[in-house]
Amino acid sequence: MKINERADQGIHRRRWPILEPPRPSSNQRHRPNLLRRRAWHILEAPTAEQPAVENEEVLGPQPPDDATVNFVLDLTLRIGEVQMASGAGASDVTATILALTAALGLPHCEVDVIFTSITVTCHRGTDLAPVTALRVVRSRSLDYTRLTQAEILVRKIVRGNMGAEEAHTELERITAAPHPYPRWVATIAWGGLAAFITLLLGGGPDVAVVAFAISSVVDRLGRLLNRYHLPFFFQQVVGGLVATLSAMAIVSSNVLTTDRPTLVVAAAVTVLLSGLSTVSAVQDAITGYNVTAAGRTMETALMSAGLITGVVLALKLAVMLGLPSTPLPEVINSTPQQLPIVVVTGAGAAACFALASYSTLRALLVAAAAGAIGALVYGSLMLTQFDAVSSSAVAATLVGFCGGLLARRLLVTPLVVAVSGITPLLPGLSTYRGLYQLGVEPGGNISTLMTAVAIGLALAAGVVLGEYLAQPVRMRLGRLERKLAGPRMAGPLEPPERRLE
């Protein structure tokens, strides 16, 4: 035990036997342990009066001033809102915000993403209260150009090539910019999607032209109803009703010479199903964001219910009006001679969906390639007597793998490639067959409709699995031992390390 002498203004006090604090060894870091220093300050006090710890030494992280913290949180929330509004998954939004806050100087943040809002909390140590910011996602739209530009902006910030003020100005330009194409171009693209789907299902050119016209009319009608803020559920009801009744009326007028005229309705149903966020819902469920997954699933189920209501109501009205009933379209067995047509129409359908979603030209070409790959794999598996659910799952997995591997190298968001690539494989024909059996045939069977649901889930899960499998290949084969962070359809590839400074 050692005696420590203390002096105060030249006056010697009583000698108190106390323990000296341990001296740091030479191989330890120069930074002292503040908690241990505080404990030794208390032990060294010779009287009941305890000296205060130095005010300039603060425990925990030392973030920037309040104005900078608020500015960074607002910037990251706005970027997260763009991603959520474009259909990105909750895990992608969380990883993006964590990477941005770490790159912009906020030491430790927590992110909570649900279906309609994003909350970010910045912890500022033991002496300062945390700062919490929230932003509500009020509107959703398919604008993949805006999503791609936001992705490029995130990369610049994370790599240190752009500061917070420049990023805020760039984000204002991205969000305020109009769509890259006129609205009528998107209408033509939706019509083209229906035409290619009709050809993919085995229809002729005349059926494709009618499907193009009906889907274009449905899109313009939905645009008109959206101006009056009609809920999307009722817009789906109107779309399914108009598409089905129009097809029935054209069939009764003997304009079409084909024996499979109801393929027009199947193509219109596929177009109405293509805008649903099934992929994001499955991704959120797989990655553990159950609240957001439940919200997306409820939205998808509600939109599908609106479509079902419109189609069944149209079938009932057709029977009441005495319109001639048409035979239920059968699924054509694939042949090797039809495989090139399937590949070409799959590429065209995927490209039309990307164009209708305001994708850039580069993303449109990549989406067309993804659609061709998915259609080729699906058609080849159907030739080997695979069932539709298994073939859809394998094809979607390959689409997700190729999209996750090549999309970022081509500066395209993987979500754009994934959703566009599986669009030609959506179960529009199976959905219509199931609805026809329920609405027209007595004692209808629900198994066909359940098969359509299974195909949709297989497509979404396959895309997510393919993106997950693409991660170790994308991160180079020498780094396979890294722990995978989960599927990434948007945002940074790897979340930053989160530790207190």
CSV table of all heavy atoms in Angstrom, one decimal, residues 285-328:
chain,number,residue,atom,x,y,z
A,285,ALA,N,-41.4,-10.6,-45.3
A,285,ALA,CA,-41.8,-11.8,-44.5
A,285,ALA,C,-40.5,-12.6,-44.3
A,285,ALA,O,-40.3,-13.1,-43.1
A,285,ALA,CB,-42.9,-12.6,-45.1
A,286,ILE,N,-39.7,-12.9,-45.3
A,286,ILE,CA,-38.6,-13.7,-45.2
A,286,ILE,C,-37.5,-13.1,-44.3
A,286,ILE,O,-36.8,-13.7,-43.5
A,286,ILE,CB,-38.0,-14.1,-46.6
A,286,ILE,CG1,-39.0,-15.0,-47.3
A,286,ILE,CG2,-36.6,-14.7,-46.5
A,286,ILE,CD1,-38.6,-15.3,-48.7
A,287,THR,N,-37.3,-11.8,-44.4
A,287,THR,CA,-36.3,-11.1,-43.7
A,287,THR,C,-36.7,-10.6,-42.3
A,287,THR,O,-35.9,-10.0,-41.6
A,287,THR,CB,-35.8,-9.8,-44.5
A,287,THR,OG1,-36.9,-9.0,-44.8
A,287,THR,CG2,-35.1,-10.2,-45.7
A,288,GLY,N,-37.9,-11.0,-41.8
A,288,GLY,CA,-38.3,-10.8,-40.4
A,288,GLY,C,-39.0,-9.5,-40.2
A,288,GLY,O,-39.3,-9.2,-39.0
A,289,TYR,N,-39.4,-8.7,-41.2
A,289,TYR,CA,-40.2,-7.5,-41.0
A,289,TYR,C,-41.7,-7.8,-41.1
A,289,TYR,O,-42.3,-7.6,-42.1
A,289,TYR,CB,-39.8,-6.4,-42.0
A,289,TYR,CG,-38.4,-5.9,-41.8
A,289,TYR,CD1,-37.3,-6.6,-42.3
A,289,TYR,CD2,-38.2,-4.7,-41.0
A,289,TYR,CE1,-36.0,-6.1,-42.1
A,289,TYR,CE2,-36.9,-4.3,-40.8
A,289,TYR,CZ,-35.8,-4.9,-41.3
A,289,TYR,OH,-34.5,-4.5,-41.1
A,290,ASN,N,-42.2,-8.4,-40.1
A,290,ASN,CA,-43.5,-9.0,-40.2
A,290,ASN,C,-44.6,-8.0,-40.2
A,290,ASN,O,-45.6,-8.2,-40.9
A,290,ASN,CB,-43.7,-10.0,-39.0
A,290,ASN,CG,-42.7,-11.1,-38.9
A,290,ASN,OD1,-42.4,-11.7,-40.0
A,290,ASN,ND2,-42.2,-11.4,-37.8
A,291,VAL,N,-44.4,-6.9,-39.6
A,291,VAL,CA,-45.5,-5.8,-39.6
A,291,VAL,C,-45.6,-5.3,-41.0
A,291,VAL,O,-46.7,-5.1,-41.6
A,291,VAL,CB,-45.2,-4.7,-38.6
A,291,VAL,CG1,-46.2,-3.6,-38.7
A,291,VAL,CG2,-45.2,-5.3,-37.2
A,292,THR,N,-44.5,-5.0,-41.6
A,292,THR,CA,-44.5,-4.4,-43.0
A,292,THR,C,-45.0,-5.5,-44.0
A,292,THR,O,-45.8,-5.2,-44.9
A,292,THR,CB,-43.1,-4.0,-43.4
A,292,THR,OG1,-42.6,-3.1,-42.4
A,292,THR,CG2,-43.2,-3.3,-44.7
A,293,ALA,N,-44.6,-6.8,-43.8
A,293,ALA,CA,-45.1,-7.8,-44.6
A,293,ALA,C,-46.6,-8.0,-44.5
A,293,ALA,O,-47.3,-8.2,-45.5
A,293,ALA,CB,-44.4,-9.1,-44.2
A,294,ALA,N,-47.1,-7.9,-43.3
A,294,ALA,CA,-48.6,-8.0,-43.1
A,294,ALA,C,-49.3,-6.8,-43.8
A,294,ALA,O,-50.3,-7.0,-44.4
A,294,ALA,CB,-48.9,-8.0,-41.6
A,295,GLY,N,-48.7,-5.6,-43.7
A,295,GLY,CA,-49.4,-4.5,-44.4
A,295,GLY,C,-49.3,-4.7,-45.9
A,295,GLY,O,-50.4,-4.4,-46.6
A,296,ARG,N,-48.2,-5.1,-46.5
A,296,ARG,CA,-48.1,-5.3,-48.0
A,296,ARG,C,-49.1,-6.5,-48.4
A,296,ARG,O,-49.7,-6.4,-49.4
A,296,ARG,CB,-46.7,-5.6,-48.4
A,296,ARG,CG,-45.7,-4.4,-48.2
A,296,ARG,CD,-44.4,-4.8,-48.8
A,296,ARG,NE,-43.4,-3.9,-48.5
A,296,ARG,CZ,-43.1,-2.8,-49.1
A,296,ARG,NH1,-43.8,-2.5,-50.2
A,296,ARG,NH2,-42.1,-2.0,-48.8
A,297,THR,N,-49.1,-7.5,-47.6
A,297,THR,CA,-50.0,-8.7,-47.9
A,297,THR,C,-51.4,-8.3,-47.9
A,297,THR,O,-52.2,-8.7,-48.8
A,297,THR,CB,-49.7,-9.8,-46.9
A,297,THR,OG1,-48.3,-10.2,-46.9
A,297,THR,CG2,-50.6,-11.0,-47.3
A,298,MET,N,-51.8,-7.4,-46.9
A,298,MET,CA,-53.2,-7.0,-46.9
A,298,MET,C,-53.5,-6.1,-48.1
A,298,MET,O,-54.6,-6.2,-48.6
A,298,MET,CB,-53.4,-6.2,-45.6
A,298,MET,CG,-54.8,-5.7,-45.4
A,298,MET,SD,-55.9,-7.1,-45.2
A,298,MET,CE,-57.5,-6.4,-45.3
A,299,GLU,N,-52.6,-5.3,-48.5
A,299,GLU,CA,-52.8,-4.4,-49.7
A,299,GLU,C,-53.0,-5.3,-50.9
A,299,GLU,O,-53.9,-5.1,-51.7
A,299,GLU,CB,-51.7,-3.4,-49.9
A,299,GLU,CG,-51.8,-2.5,-51.0
A,299,GLU,CD,-50.6,-1.7,-51.4
A,299,GLU,OE1,-49.5,-2.3,-51.4
A,299,GLU,OE2,-50.7,-0.5,-51.5
A,300,THR,N,-52.1,-6.3,-51.1
A,300,THR,CA,-52.1,-7.2,-52.2
A,300,THR,C,-53.4,-8.0,-52.2
A,300,THR,O,-54.1,-8.1,-53.3
A,300,THR,CB,-50.9,-8.1,-52.2
A,300,THR,OG1,-49.7,-7.4,-52.2
A,300,THR,CG2,-51.0,-9.1,-53.4
A,301,ALA,N,-53.8,-8.5,-51.1
A,301,ALA,CA,-55.1,-9.2,-51.0
A,301,ALA,C,-56.3,-8.4,-51.3
A,301,ALA,O,-57.2,-8.8,-52.0
A,301,ALA,CB,-55.2,-9.9,-49.6
A,302,LEU,N,-56.3,-7.1,-50.8
A,302,LEU,CA,-57.4,-6.2,-51.1
A,302,LEU,C,-57.5,-5.9,-52.6
A,302,LEU,O,-58.6,-5.8,-53.1
A,302,LEU,CB,-57.2,-5.0,-50.2
A,302,LEU,CG,-58.4,-4.0,-50.2
A,302,LEU,CD1,-59.6,-4.8,-49.5
A,302,LEU,CD2,-58.1,-2.8,-49.4
A,303,MET,N,-56.3,-5.6,-53.2
A,303,MET,CA,-56.4,-5.3,-54.6
A,303,MET,C,-56.8,-6.5,-55.4
A,303,MET,O,-57.6,-6.4,-56.4
A,303,MET,CB,-55.0,-4.8,-55.1
A,303,MET,CG,-54.5,-3.6,-54.5
A,303,MET,SD,-55.5,-2.1,-54.7
A,303,MET,CE,-56.4,-2.0,-53.1
A,304,SER,N,-56.4,-7.7,-55.0
A,304,SER,CA,-56.8,-8.9,-55.7
A,304,SER,C,-58.3,-9.1,-55.5
A,304,SER,O,-59.0,-9.6,-56.4
A,304,SER,CB,-56.0,-10.1,-55.2
A,304,SER,OG,-54.6,-9.9,-55.4
A,305,ALA,N,-58.8,-8.9,-54.3
A,305,ALA,CA,-60.2,-9.0,-54.1
A,305,ALA,C,-61.0,-8.0,-54.9
A,305,ALA,O,-62.1,-8.4,-55.4
A,305,ALA,CB,-60.5,-8.8,-52.6
A,306,GLY,N,-60.5,-6.8,-55.1
A,306,GLY,CA,-61.2,-5.9,-56.0
A,306,GLY,C,-61.3,-6.4,-57.4
A,306,GLY,O,-62.3,-6.3,-58.1
A,307,LEU,N,-60.1,-7.0,-57.9
A,307,LEU,CA,-60.1,-7.5,-59.3
A,307,LEU,C,-61.1,-8.7,-59.4
A,307,LEU,O,-61.8,-8.9,-60.4
A,307,LEU,CB,-58.7,-8.0,-59.6
A,307,LEU,CG,-58.5,-8.6,-60.9
A,307,LEU,CD1,-58.8,-7.7,-62.1
A,307,LEU,CD2,-57.0,-9.1,-61.1
A,308,ILE,N,-61.1,-9.6,-58.4
A,308,ILE,CA,-62.0,-10.7,-58.4
A,308,ILE,C,-63.4,-10.3,-58.4
A,308,ILE,O,-64.3,-10.8,-59.2
A,308,ILE,CB,-61.7,-11.6,-57.1
A,308,ILE,CG1,-60.4,-12.3,-57.3
A,308,ILE,CG2,-62.8,-12.7,-57.0
A,308,ILE,CD1,-59.9,-13.0,-56.0
A,309,THR,N,-63.7,-9.3,-57.6
A,309,THR,CA,-65.1,-8.7,-57.6
A,309,THR,C,-65.5,-8.2,-59.0
A,309,THR,O,-66.7,-8.5,-59.4
A,309,THR,CB,-65.2,-7.6,-56.6
A,309,THR,OG1,-64.8,-8.1,-55.3
A,309,THR,CG2,-66.6,-7.1,-56.5
A,310,GLY,N,-64.7,-7.5,-59.6
A,310,GLY,CA,-65.0,-6.9,-60.9
A,310,GLY,C,-65.2,-8.0,-62.0
A,310,GLY,O,-66.2,-7.9,-62.8
A,311,VAL,N,-64.3,-9.0,-62.0
A,311,VAL,CA,-64.4,-10.1,-63.0
A,311,VAL,C,-65.7,-10.9,-62.8
A,311,VAL,O,-66.5,-11.2,-63.7
A,311,VAL,CB,-63.2,-11.0,-63.0
A,311,VAL,CG1,-63.4,-12.2,-63.9
A,311,VAL,CG2,-62.0,-10.1,-63.4
A,312,VAL,N,-65.9,-11.3,-61.5
A,312,VAL,CA,-67.1,-12.1,-61.2
A,312,VAL,C,-68.4,-11.3,-61.5
A,312,VAL,O,-69.4,-11.9,-62.0
A,312,VAL,CB,-67.1,-12.6,-59.8
A,312,VAL,CG1,-68.4,-13.3,-59.4
A,312,VAL,CG2,-65.9,-13.5,-59.6
A,313,LEU,N,-68.4,-10.1,-61.2
A,313,LEU,CA,-69.6,-9.2,-61.4
A,313,LEU,C,-69.8,-9.1,-62.9
A,313,LEU,O,-71.0,-9.2,-63.4
A,313,LEU,CB,-69.4,-7.8,-60.8
A,313,LEU,CG,-70.6,-6.9,-61.0
A,313,LEU,CD1,-71.8,-7.4,-60.3
A,313,LEU,CD2,-70.2,-5.5,-60.4
A,314,ALA,N,-68.8,-9.0,-63.7
A,314,ALA,CA,-68.9,-9.0,-65.2
A,314,ALA,C,-69.5,-10.3,-65.7
A,314,ALA,O,-70.3,-10.3,-66.6
A,314,ALA,CB,-67.6,-8.6,-65.8
A,315,LEU,N,-69.0,-11.4,-65.2
A,315,LEU,CA,-69.5,-12.7,-65.7
A,315,LEU,C,-71.0,-12.9,-65.3
A,315,LEU,O,-71.8,-13.4,-66.1
A,315,LEU,CB,-68.7,-13.8,-65.0
A,315,LEU,CG,-67.2,-13.9,-65.5
A,315,LEU,CD1,-66.5,-15.0,-64.7
A,315,LEU,CD2,-67.1,-14.2,-67.0
A,316,LYS,N,-71.4,-12.4,-64.2
A,316,LYS,CA,-72.8,-12.5,-63.8
A,316,LYS,C,-73.7,-11.6,-64.7
A,316,LYS,O,-74.8,-12.0,-65.1
A,316,LYS,CB,-73.0,-12.0,-62.3
A,316,LYS,CG,-72.3,-13.0,-61.3
A,316,LYS,CD,-73.1,-14.3,-61.2
A,316,LYS,CE,-72.5,-15.2,-60.1
A,316,LYS,NZ,-73.2,-16.5,-60.0
A,317,LEU,N,-73.2,-10.4,-65.0
A,317,LEU,CA,-73.9,-9.5,-65.9
A,317,LEU,C,-74.0,-10.0,-67.3
A,317,LEU,O,-75.0,-9.9,-67.9
A,317,LEU,CB,-73.2,-8.1,-65.9
A,317,LEU,CG,-73.4,-7.2,-64.6
A,317,LEU,CD1,-72.6,-6.0,-64.8
A,317,LEU,CD2,-74.8,-6.9,-64.3
A,318,ALA,N,-73.0,-10.7,-67.7
A,318,ALA,CA,-73.0,-11.3,-69.1
A,318,ALA,C,-74.1,-12.4,-69.2
A,318,ALA,O,-74.8,-12.5,-70.2
A,318,ALA,CB,-71.6,-11.9,-69.4
A,319,VAL,N,-74.2,-13.1,-68.1
A,319,VAL,CA,-75.3,-14.2,-68.1
A,319,VAL,C,-76.7,-13.5,-68.1
A,319,VAL,O,-77.6,-13.9,-68.8
A,319,VAL,CB,-75.1,-15.1,-66.9
A,319,VAL,CG1,-76.3,-16.1,-66.8
A,319,VAL,CG2,-73.8,-15.9,-67.0
A,320,MET,N,-76.8,-12.4,-67.2
A,320,MET,CA,-78.1,-11.8,-67.1
A,320,MET,C,-78.5,-11.1,-68.5
A,320,MET,O,-79.7,-11.0,-68.8
A,320,MET,CB,-78.1,-10.7,-66.0
A,320,MET,CG,-77.9,-11.3,-64.6
A,320,MET,SD,-77.7,-10.1,-63.3
A,320,MET,CE,-79.2,-9.2,-63.6
A,321,LEU,N,-77.5,-10.5,-69.2
A,321,LEU,CA,-77.8,-9.8,-70.4
A,321,LEU,C,-77.9,-10.8,-71.6
A,321,LEU,O,-78.2,-10.3,-72.7
A,321,LEU,CB,-76.7,-8.8,-70.7
A,321,LEU,CG,-76.5,-7.6,-69.7
A,321,LEU,CD1,-75.3,-6.8,-70.1
A,321,LEU,CD2,-77.8,-6.8,-69.7
A,322,GLY,N,-77.7,-12.0,-71.4
A,322,GLY,CA,-77.9,-13.0,-72.4
A,322,GLY,C,-76.7,-13.0,-73.4
A,322,GLY,O,-76.9,-13.5,-74.6
A,323,LEU,N,-75.6,-12.5,-73.1
A,323,LEU,CA,-74.4,-12.6,-74.0
A,323,LEU,C,-74.0,-14.1,-74.1
A,323,LEU,O,-74.1,-14.9,-73.2
A,323,LEU,CB,-73.3,-11.8,-73.4
A,323,LEU,CG,-73.5,-10.3,-73.3
A,323,LEU,CD1,-72.3,-9.6,-72.7
A,323,LEU,CD2,-73.8,-9.7,-74.6
A,324,PRO,N,-73.6,-14.4,-75.3
A,324,PRO,CA,-73.2,-15.8,-75.6
A,324,PRO,C,-72.0,-16.2,-74.7
A,324,PRO,O,-71.0,-15.5,-74.6
A,324,PRO,CB,-72.8,-15.9,-77.1
A,324,PRO,CG,-72.5,-14.4,-77.4
A,324,PRO,CD,-73.4,-13.6,-76.5
A,325,SER,N,-72.1,-17.3,-74.0
A,325,SER,CA,-71.0,-17.8,-73.2
A,325,SER,C,-69.9,-18.4,-74.1
A,325,SER,O,-70.2,-19.0,-75.1
A,325,SER,CB,-71.5,-18.9,-72.2
A,325,SER,OG,-72.1,-20.0,-72.9
A,326,THR,N,-68.7,-18.2,-73.6
A,326,THR,CA,-67.5,-18.7,-74.4
A,326,THR,C,-66.9,-19.8,-73.6
A,326,THR,O,-67.0,-19.9,-72.4
A,326,THR,CB,-66.5,-17.6,-74.6
A,326,THR,OG1,-66.1,-17.0,-73.3
A,326,THR,CG2,-67.1,-16.4,-75.4
A,327,PRO,N,-66.3,-20.8,-74.3
A,327,PRO,CA,-65.7,-21.9,-73.6
A,327,PRO,C,-64.5,-21.4,-72.7
A,327,PRO,O,-63.8,-20.4,-73.1
A,327,PRO,CB,-65.2,-22.8,-74.7
A,327,PRO,CG,-65.1,-21.9,-75.9
A,327,PRO,CD,-66.1,-20.9,-75.7
A,328,LEU,N,-64.3,-22.0,-71.6
A,328,LEU,CA,-63.2,-21.7,-70.7
A,328,LEU,C,-61.9,-22.0,-71.4
A,328,LEU,O,-61.7,-23.1,-71.9
A,328,LEU,CB,-63.3,-22.5,-69.4
A,328,LEU,CG,-62.3,-22.1,-68.3
A,328,LEU,CD1,-62.6,-20.7,-67.8
A,328,LEU,CD2,-62.5,-23.1,-67.1
